Each structure stands twice: as structure tokens, then as C-alpha cells.
Amino acid sequence: MAERYAPCEIEAKWQRLWAEERVAEVDTAVPGNEFYMLNMYPYPSGSRLHVGHGRNYILGDALYRRERMAGRRALNPMGWDAFGLPAENAAIQSGVPPREYTLGNIARMKEQLIALGCLYDWSKELALCDPAYYRWNQWLFLRMWERGLAYRKTAPVNWCPGCRTVLANEQVVDGRCERSGDAVAIRDLTQWFFRVTDYAERLLEGLDRLPQWSERVKTMQRNWIGRSEGAEILFSVEGLAEPVTVFTTRPDTLYGATFLALAPEHAIVALLAKGSGRAEAIGDFVNRVRHESRLEREAEGGEKEGLATGAFAVNPATAEKIPIWLANFVLPEYGTGAIMGVPAHDQRDFEFARKYGLPIRPVFRTAKGEIDPGAMTQALPHDGFLCHSGSWDGTPNGPQAVRVAIQWLEQRGVGRGKVGYRLRDWLISRQRYWGTPIPAIHCPSCGVVPVPDADLPVLLPEDVEFRGVEGNPLEKSEAFVNARCPRCGGAARRETDTMDTFVDSSWYYLRFLNPHDAARMVDPERVRRWMPVGQYIGGIEHAILHLLYARFICRVLKDLGLVHLEEPFERLFNQGMITRLNAATGKIEKMSKSRGNTVSPDELIARYGADTVRLYTLFIGPPEKESEWSEDGVAGAYRFLNRVHDLCFRVGERGGDARPGDAPRDTPLSRLMHRSVERVSDDARRFHFHTAIAALMEFQRGIADALEEGSESPATVREATKALLQLLHPIAPHLTEEWWRRFGEKGFLVESSWPAYDPDLATPLGVTLVVQVNGKVRGKLEVARG
RNA sequence: GCCGGAGUGGCGAAAUUGGUAGACGCACGGGACUUAAAAUCCCGAGGGCCACAAGGCCCGUGCCGGUUCGAGUCCGGCCUCCGGCACCA
């Protein structure tokens, strides 16, 4: 009579034993070559605390176990990225203070992770909302400020007049506040930035040294940085002392520039309006464009809107007066916020010129000759040879033409070659309570003054109220806001902006090495031993922002002499998201708390056990792909574990006590074993646990059949069964530990060595030869290898 | 709109390098065991056509086209869905 598989008892027992005997403890002082950790950052949901899908954690844990079994050093710490909007919104909605809400979520999720059998080294646990952690955000900020890498400038924000607060883009729906429904206004605020653009070139170059990152992510990052070579050209403006600077990638088309277009936000607009006699029309236009929400303005390839300022600039090449326009499609953040309009050769400029009756002048002559501008229906390609371009005439299109133009500009002092980037500086200010306070003090006489290191951390006050209608609660805390100027000692006002949570998550991986070090941010010696992170796992939604910021901060730390490396993550794996139908929107969306479509693992664990949940989660499909959550296959996963349990029981009953080496080497079952070890090892290496599981299912069936038929020696069956347990262990750790011990092994299975295989025995004896005629299968032959 | 990715049976999927499309599961159908049911085990199955049968033929990896002896895989053009977003001059 077979024994029943009782997952709850087995799992509770092993979770207790692992904790008591401290399996996961790894001394960071010991050099190692692998370092596993988990990305805890499902932006933009903002919540770093829920167990939404669990696959991230199970994937990470399975890899960690595989590495341990392979005898390689691995560290599996857990960090909680616990600042963010959801905690603050929860406070507003329910009255629970953000800290309480956050710590409660951490405690609950920790329980869930332990219940899933994840082996974290809890001695290295971090919470990023802990002052012991965020004080180092502040310390880093001060070092960056000293070096000019942190600075202030104005930037527009979404302002909700009803809530008297700044809204995240996510909170603006159709130009209205998602909570109050008020129309959202654009306001200019002076805010803090990190000068990530100074690192654009280094961030771009570094991608070439990351062979173990997917091309997919590297391409996205390259496009995001958006390097483009071109030139800045100075256009003098009638009646003004200062010229307008324009960035263009095609300085060679300068002779075809028939107008200038400025972003309505451009600093010079106010000056132009003053002398123009149409200040009112200009003011209206600027206002209108600025109140188009950013999304509207940037979306839908929208309608080109423009207004002539009445002012004129001089084209430095032709010496002609050309009109200065304002245009909604020129963005203040890119380049210089001003462009030269070359309608003959740029589609957007062409549409704009047609709409407003501006001249179109081709400056390239193609094989077909010149084209009548009036007959054009779209912009011409840059093709052929320059014409109508003075001394540049006859230069062929391409880098040469650009060089000729730049040389000409530089000789006359009206422009220069320039590399432009699409990347913009990182706005880190948030007008919110639940984040790292920015360590600055506004003094009426000394200006903006840094908080001295000795006064860190600047603590978030706890005695604040959340009602969601008075703006940032920090501003209401007298005890927080009222400060002494560190320089003159006079009464001053503390900065109330807090930091973007991406600052926290940009360096936490380093902190796992010295989580309780009160004296310094990072420990360079341990960094030298452990870094870079051997394997980083995170959702594909972080392909750009988080990973770029983390690479940026790592470079800053290197420049500060704190770390020796520029690239923190040697190998990157981006798992796809688990999606699920959102009942509220009727759409299939990524599972996230802010979208309210998460699934808790508790119920499934209670019904089938953690091993089944892990097995099923990994069996869904390839982890790099997104997949839609469904529980249809859970029962099948459970059945498989039952079969394994049953097999082990029967082998234990009849298997004898064969010793290693007793088993004959070359039998069908031993060949299957070697083949299975090979398949599972290869699949696990490339994160394809789902096909590894398929191989394990075939392996289990093979052993069971051999046992049933009595075709193999007890020693071979027992050896194969133990190999099955080892291969299955990263996926279903509890059941496999249980049988490993029952088969008389001492110590933990997770500490055993990963089975090796003999390539000769892993190769099938026979091969199928397929006969194809014209690509169609016409026959098959079974033949012996060789 | 821009950048990146995906689309294969009723469903999740496999095919790592251009060479047997659908492994392994779910759901389903049939059978064994049982007084019965559950559980378990065994068998079946992409679609269509021909055949009493063994078996044979055709079609089939989102759509249209191309390269190749041969395409799920490579190339060009579309459609739909997902992620990111800042009209990139």
C-alpha cells in the first residue's frame, strides 16, 4: 500500500530544518563567482511589496538552488523597495500611515516567500525605507551636489488644483485627475535633477561590454540614449543681441532652411513677444500649447500647430531674413528647443510649411534633376548632390556633406559640430511624503545650502496626516520644515521634495554586501570580491529606466572611488510579465497591485503545497515571455509530484541498499538518466525550466516503467531515482529533500553536488534518418549510430 | 505617434544551428480497476479527403509576397496584441 503524498507536513518540516540549520547563510567575506538576487521593483505599479505572480521569486530561487548544488558560491538576499506612491495612496484612502502599511506588507510577503520554500539569506535583508538605508541616498546626493551632478532647474509638472498636489502621469486620465476629476494644469516648479546626460557616452559605450545582456534590452537602451551627430548653428535675430542656437543632424541642408521654429517654452519667446506688437496672440498660443497635456502634445503624430512671432532671424549661409515661428511639435527638452525648418527635406517641416505657406527650397539635385517645389507632395530624400548651396554645391550626400558644412560653420564662427543625445537629465524631485527627504535647506540669506554629513539622516517625520487635499504633507510638518541654516545659523526652511524611488533601487545590490554597516555606504573590499552581480533577474518593464539609472549610479560611485566597476550586472535575464484579465478595464494587463488584478499564492499553497505552485509556475512557459495567468494546469503539476512520491516510495521498498558504482553503466535506464541530466542542465542554464520539467516527466515515467517491468537492476533504478531528486530539487525543494534524507543521505540535498553526465551515454544509440524529396518527408529509417 | 517584443492544436506550449511541426502538460473521449464514485493506470486525438483495413494523399505555425532542394525559423510589406515612452529635428 502506497503512502499518501502530504505536502503540508513535508514542507513545514523542511522549512523549519532549513531555517534551524541556516542553510542559506553565506559568508560574504568568502570570494565567490556567482551572486543571485532578485529585482524587487515592478514600476510603475509602485508597489514593491505584493506577491503578484511569484514567478520572479521562484525563478530566482530555483537558480540559486541549482548554483548551490553545483558547489558554486551564491548569495540570495532579499531587499524590499518600500517607498512609493501606493503606500501614500493607501494612507490617503484608509488612514493607515505609510510606514505601518509598508511594514505590514513586508511581513506578509516574507511569510509568503518562506511558505514558497524560497531560501533567502535573511541576515542580509534590507528595507529601502529604513533610515539606515536611505541616509546613504542622502549622502550620495550630497556628493553628487558637490560635483555638480545634482542641480536645480524648473520643469513642468501635472498640478491638480482640487487635491492641491502634483500628479504622476499615471494619475492623469484624459487630462483630468483620476481621483478628483479636476482638469490638470501644467505648473512650473524648480526641481532637483541628476546630470545623467554627462554620462550618456559612457552609458552607451558600456553596452558593448555586456555580451550576456540580450540584444533586445541593449537596443532599447541605445535608442533611449539616442546619440546623434550633427551641429549647432547660430542664427542671429533682428533686434536682439543674443543669437538663437539650433541643433540639427543635417547642417548640410542649411541653405534650404526657410524658417526657424521655437518651442513655445523657449526662453527667448518672451523677448520676441515684447517687441512684436502681438504679445497677446503669442501669450495665448504659448498658454494653449503648454496646457495641452504632455501626452496630447506628444501623441498621435498630432496636428502641427504654429504661430508666426513676427520676428526674423538671418540664415547664416544665405544671409536671408527668415521668419521665426512657434511650433507645438518642437520640444523644449530636446536639443536646444529650437530647430531650423528645412521643408524640402524634412517631412514634418514640409507639412508645417505647406500648412502655413512657407517657402520650400530643395538643396539636393538627384539623377532626375531638380524638382519643382510646387509639385512636391512630401519631403524629398537626402539624395544626390548639393545644389543652391554656394560653395558646397556638388558635394555628394552623406558624411562628406555634413563635414563640409561643419567646417564652413566653424571657420565663420557661426556653428560647430556637436553630438546630441535624446537622453534628458533625471528629474529626481517628487512632491510627496513617502520617500527619501532631499538633504537641502533654503536659507533667505545663504540660498540653497546642503545639510552637513553629520546631520544625516534627515528623517521623515512620523506625525503627519494624510487627507489627500493639502498637497505634500511634509510642508505641513512645522517640526520638519523649520530649520537652522547650517551656514549662518539663521532661521531657514527645509527642502520638502523627496527623491524618486529609482534612486533607492539604483544601488541596493551593493548594500547586500554590508547591510548593517553604519559607517559607510559601500564596502569597497567586499565589492571587489563579489561584484559584478553574476546574474540579475528583473522584469522586462525595467529594460530602460531602472537599468539605465543603476548603471549611471554605479559609474558615479566609481568616480567617487567607492567601487571599481562601471557595469553592475554582468548577466541579465528579463522575465516576461504575468498578465491577467483586468475586470475593471476589460483588458489583459500586466499583473500589478495598482491595476488590481493580482493573485495571492496563499490559497494555492494551502490546497496543493508550495512545491506544486513552484512547479506549475515554472511550467507555464518560457520565463522571458509574458504569459496570461490561469490555474488550469495546477492539477497536472500536483499529479506529477504524486507520481514522483509514489515512485520514491516503491523504490524505497524494493530498491535494496545498492551502493554507488554497483549499477551497470550502459543500460537503457542509465542512458535515459545521462540524457536527462544533460537536458535538464542545459535547459536550466538558459532558464527554460518548463522544458526541464518536461524532461523530468519523461525521466520519471522511464524509471517507473523499468521498475514495473523489472528490466533494470535495483541499483540502477535507485541511482536514477536519486538523480531525479537532484534534478527536480531546484523546482520542488521540499519533496526532494524529504526523499533524499529517506534514502539515507546525510545533510541537505541543496548542498549536494549537481549530477554529472557522460556525453557518450547521453547520446541515443539509434538515429532516425528522414528521407526528404523536394523538402517533403517521403520516408524514415531507424539506423544504428555510426 | 516612436522604440522594443510577441502571434504555432480546444488551451499552456516544444522544435537551442534553415532539415520529421505539435515533445511535455491541461481539458476532452474511450478503456482497466471499483457494487458505484473519486483517485490511479492504460489508450486516442491538428484539419480535410480516400480506404473494409493496413495505410495513402492534400492542407496547416497571424495575413500577403520573396529567398532556398527545403522556412515556425531568413528577407520585404501588412494586421492584431503586450511592454516602455520624451513628436528626437
Side-chain angles (χ1 to χ4, degrees), chain A residues 251-254 392 400-410:
Chain A
D252 50 329
T253 61
L254 178 58
W392 309 351
Q400 196 191 341
V402 174
R403 266 201 308 276
V404 165
I406 289 173
Q407 198 178 16
W408 189 95
L409 289 166
E410 287 178 351

Side-chain angles (χ1 to χ4, degrees), chain A residues 222-389:
Chain A
R222 284 190 189 104
N223 291 341
W224 186 258
I225 294 167
R227 183 182 199 275
S228 59
E229 292 182 10
E232 280 183 351
I233 303 177
L234 305 176
F235 286 74
S236 57
V237 179
E238 289 192 330
L240 289 183
E242 286 294 309
V244 170
T245 306
V246 152
F247 177 73
T248 175
T249 55
R250 299 299 308 220
D252 50 329
T253 61
L254 178 58
Y255 281 86
T258 56
F259 65 96
L260 282 194
L262 306 180
E265 293 88 344
H266 197 285
I268 209 172
V269 170
L271 293 174
L272 295 177
K274 214 178 284 173
S276 69
R278 36 176 128 173
E280 203 175 317
I282 291 174
D284 286 351
F285 181 79
V286 170
N287 245 343
R288 202 176 77 229
V289 173
R290 297 205 37 181
H291 282 80
E292 282 176 17
S293 83
R294 302 192 69 71
L295 286 173
E296 261 172 62
R297 188 167 158 193
E298 289 149 10
E300 297 308 316
E303 180 68 16
K304 311 276 175 284
E305 299 282 348
L307 180 77
T309 60
F312 287 87
V314 176
N315 182 324
T318 61
E320 283 173 336
K321 277 172 61 175
I322 58 173
I324 302 178
W325 282 67
L326 304 183
N328 65 342
F329 66 85
V330 179
L331 297 178
E333 304 93 348
Y334 187 75
T336 58
I339 64 165
M340 65 179 196
V342 186
H345 298 288
D346 181 284
Q347 184 60 26
R348 208 172 32 194
D349 296 351
F350 178 82
E351 286 169 28
F352 192 77
R354 269 288 147 83
K355 178 168 177 179
Y356 293 106
L358 296 162
I360 296 170
R361 184 187 300 156
V363 291
F364 277 100
R365 187 200 307 273
T366 66
K368 291 182 211 144
E370 286 184 40
I371 296 192
D372 171 20
M376 286 168 58
T377 57
Q378 56 177 11
L380 301 169
H382 303 95
D383 198 11
F385 298 86
L386 280 167
C387 63
H388 302 302
S389 296

Side-chain angles (χ1 to χ4, degrees), chain A residues 159-226:
Chain A
W159 177 260
C160 173
C163 308
R164 296 170 44 89
T165 189
V166 176
L167 301 180
N169 284 337
E170 183 180 83
Q171 296 174 298
V172 181
V173 179
D174 296 329
R176 298 188 166 270
C177 171
E178 68 173 357
R179 209 145 46 83
S180 69
D182 290 305
V184 171
I186 303 298
R187 268 203 182 182
D188 277 321
L189 285 184
T190 301
Q191 305 190 75
W192 291 96
F193 287 80
F194 280 167
R195 216 180 284 279
V196 64
T197 50
D198 272 13
Y199 286 73
E201 196 63 42
R202 282 165 71 185
L203 289 166
L204 186 65
E205 279 171 5
L207 293 172
D208 295 333
R209 297 192 298 270
L210 292 171
Q212 305 201 74
W213 281 37
S214 66
E215 283 306 318
R216 175 183 181 185
V217 170
K218 286 189 281 189
T219 301
M220 282 196 255
Q221 291 225 346
R222 284 190 189 104
N223 291 341
W224 186 258
I225 294 167

